[in-house]
């Protein structure tokens, strides 16, 4: 009899309110890490492979809408409804600086070279902070057509991508000229925009559509209609042959990139899904939900026989032992707030 394949996610508790953003670090000598943003005001850092909690960054006084790690996973940035973006030491949990704004900050992103932090929000102003001169005034680009929802760097930090909460499309700023050089047209506001790991594609979610764009020529490559309104989508980084999407139906859908055929559907969340992201090696992906949990799903579901041998929400014991050792070493130097 053929063994039935089942998806057993790692369920990560800790947040007391909805999880609205997830970000994986690149693979570092110590593994890779997952940072989550939540309306409970406290970003949380986890081992990206096991989901084990490492630390909580305490200091915001409002919902945190976005959080990210720099290329080396040494610093964390967060964007909050308390009119600030904060820079943190990822190893100790110390707040390194608070960048004050005049309204809600919805998005933040480290430059690839780690020297700059980009922020955007309800003010409709892009700000670029020099992380080598924390007290210096930021460079500002203030001709955004709407409240900024997402931001990203591309083209070796020469171009900035933004989408807006109240305006459709994705816009690109050339930092040398300070002007919009391209707009990608969508029918609805773009709620998620991800630059692929190899820099080749931009994945967008708008309404019930997921689109893939050529990041160099700004041409539409693929467009697929989804079974429901989706808030987030992510392309598998290693082979680029599948993508995931999550939204209002509370399920994480897996699709074939080339055909759009649905390959699988993972159920388990108890509220709409706000963010989905692939791990940097493509072996798993994470989803964050209105229900306050993060779920980490293996790309290839284990068989029923294998799942019986690995209890609950556990990874293969050998894999987990290595990941736990990495987490233990990091925790030994932390004094981050308790979960």
């Amino acid at each position: 009899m053929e063994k039935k394949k089942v998806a057993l996610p790692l369920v990560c508790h800790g947040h007391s309110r909805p999880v609205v953003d997830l970000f994986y670090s690149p693979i570092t000598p110590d593994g890779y890490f997952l940072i989550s943003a939540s309306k409970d005001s406290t970003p949380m850092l986890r081992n990206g492979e096991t989901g084990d909690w490492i630390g909580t960054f305490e200091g915001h006084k409002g919902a945190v809408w976005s959080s990210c790690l720099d290329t080396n996973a040494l610093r964390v940035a967060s964007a909050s409804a308390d009119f600030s973006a904060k820079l943190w030491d990822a190893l100790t949990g110390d707040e390194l600086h608070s960048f004050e704004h005049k309204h809600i900050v919805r998005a933040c992103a480290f430059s690839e070279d780690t020297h700059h932090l980009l922020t955007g929000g309800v003010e409709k102003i892009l700000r670029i902070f020099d992380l080598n001169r924390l007290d210096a005034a930021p460079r500002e680009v203030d001709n955004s057509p709407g409240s900024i929802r997402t931001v990203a760097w591309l083209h070796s930090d020469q171009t900035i991508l933004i989408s807006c909460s109240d305006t459709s499309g994705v816009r690109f700023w050339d930092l040398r000229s300070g002007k919009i050089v391209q707009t990608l047209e969508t029918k609805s506001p773009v709620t998620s925009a991800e630059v692929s790991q190899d820099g080749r594609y931009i994945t967008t979610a708008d309404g019930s559509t997921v689109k893939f764009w050529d990041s160099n020529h700004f041409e539409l490559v693929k467009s697929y209609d989804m079974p429901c309104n989706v808030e987030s989508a992510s392309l598998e980084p290693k082979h680029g042959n599948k993508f995931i999407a999550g939204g209002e139906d509370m399920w994480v859908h897996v699709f074939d990139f080339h055909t759009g055929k649905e390959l699988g559907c993972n159920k388990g969340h108890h509220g709409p899904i706000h963010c989905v992201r692939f791990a940097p090696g493509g072996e798993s992906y994470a989803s964050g939900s209105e229900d306050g949990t993060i779920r980490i799903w293996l790309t290839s579901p284990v068989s029923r026989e294998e799942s019986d041998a690995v209890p609950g929400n556990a990874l293969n014991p050998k894999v987990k032992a290595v990941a736990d050792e990495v987490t233990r070493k990091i925790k030994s130097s932390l004094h981050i707030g308790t979960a």
Side-chain angles (χ1 to χ4, degrees), residues 34-294:
L34 176 66
I35 187 85
S36 55
S38 169
K39 290 184 181 180
D40 65 9
S41 80
T42 53
M44 286 189 176
L45 183 66
R46 299 179 184 275
N47 182 301
E49 192 160 20
T50 66
D52 288 342
W53 173 84
I54 295 175
T56 299
F57 299 89
E58 298 175 343
H60 279 298
K61 294 179 172 61
V64 174
W65 288 106
S66 176
S67 58
C68 57
L69 287 146
D70 70 11
T71 305
N72 303 309
L74 296 177
R75 291 176 297 182
V76 167
S78 52
S80 174
D82 66 7
F83 296 14
S84 77
K86 291 185 184 294
L87 181 69
W88 313 82
D89 186 312
L91 297 179
T92 66
D94 291 337
E95 181 181 315
L96 301 176
H97 197 77
S98 183
F99 302 101
E100 300 306 314
H101 294 63
K102 296 178 182 178
H103 215 303
I104 294 168
V105 191
R106 285 297 304 265
C108 60
F110 285 103
S111 59
E112 184 181 342
D113 67 9
T114 74
H115 295 317
H116 295 89
L117 180 68
L118 173 66
T119 67
V122 177
E123 286 183 87
K124 305 180 183 181
I125 297 172
L126 280 171
R127 289 185 172 89
I128 303 169
F129 295 93
D130 186 340
L131 299 182
N132 297 314
R133 298 186 303 144
L134 294 176
D135 293 322
R139 178 180 176 183
E140 296 186 354
V141 182
D142 60 1
N143 54 345
S144 170
S147 174
I148 297 169
R149 173 72 178 263
T150 66
V151 297
W153 300 81
L154 65 162
H155 302 155
S156 300
D157 299 334
Q158 295 301 311
T159 309
I160 288 173
L161 170 160
I162 75 155
S163 71
C164 299
S165 300
D166 43 11
T167 308
S168 62
V170 175
R171 289 160 182 82
F172 298 86
W173 265 269
D174 184 296
L175 282 181
R176 290 158 292 194
S177 67
K179 296 180 180 179
I180 296 175
V181 292
Q182 187 71 38
T183 300
L184 308 181
E185 299 296 342
T186 62
K187 291 182 179 179
S188 306
V190 170
T191 51
S192 170
E194 175 192 78
V195 180
S196 64
Q197 193 166 276
D198 61 6
R200 183 179 177 185
Y201 294 115
I202 296 163
T203 305
T204 61
D206 68 289
S208 60
T209 306
V210 172
K211 295 182 173 70
F212 299 92
W213 311 81
D214 184 304
S215 65
N216 293 310
H217 300 98
F218 304 112
E219 295 172 349
L220 182 62
V221 178
K222 303 277 186 182
S223 179
Y224 296 120
D225 292 330
M226 297 288 102
C228 69
N229 279 337
V230 296
E231 194 167 335
S232 183
S234 182
L235 180 64
E236 193 277 325
K238 193 171 184 180
H239 304 290
N241 57 0
K242 64 182 70 173
F243 68 95
I244 52 173
E248 64 181 17
D249 69 357
M250 302 183 283
W251 300 345
V252 183
H253 299 269
V254 185
F255 299 92
D256 185 285
F257 170 77
H258 301 287
T259 66
K261 178 183 178 181
E262 184 165 340
L263 303 175
C265 180
N266 296 323
K267 304 176 183 180
H269 280 295
H270 303 290
I273 293 170
H274 296 307
C275 189
V276 292
R277 287 290 177 262
F278 264 103
E283 68 284 347
S284 63
Y285 47 91
S287 53
S289 168
E290 182 75 16
D291 65 16
T293 67
I294 300 162

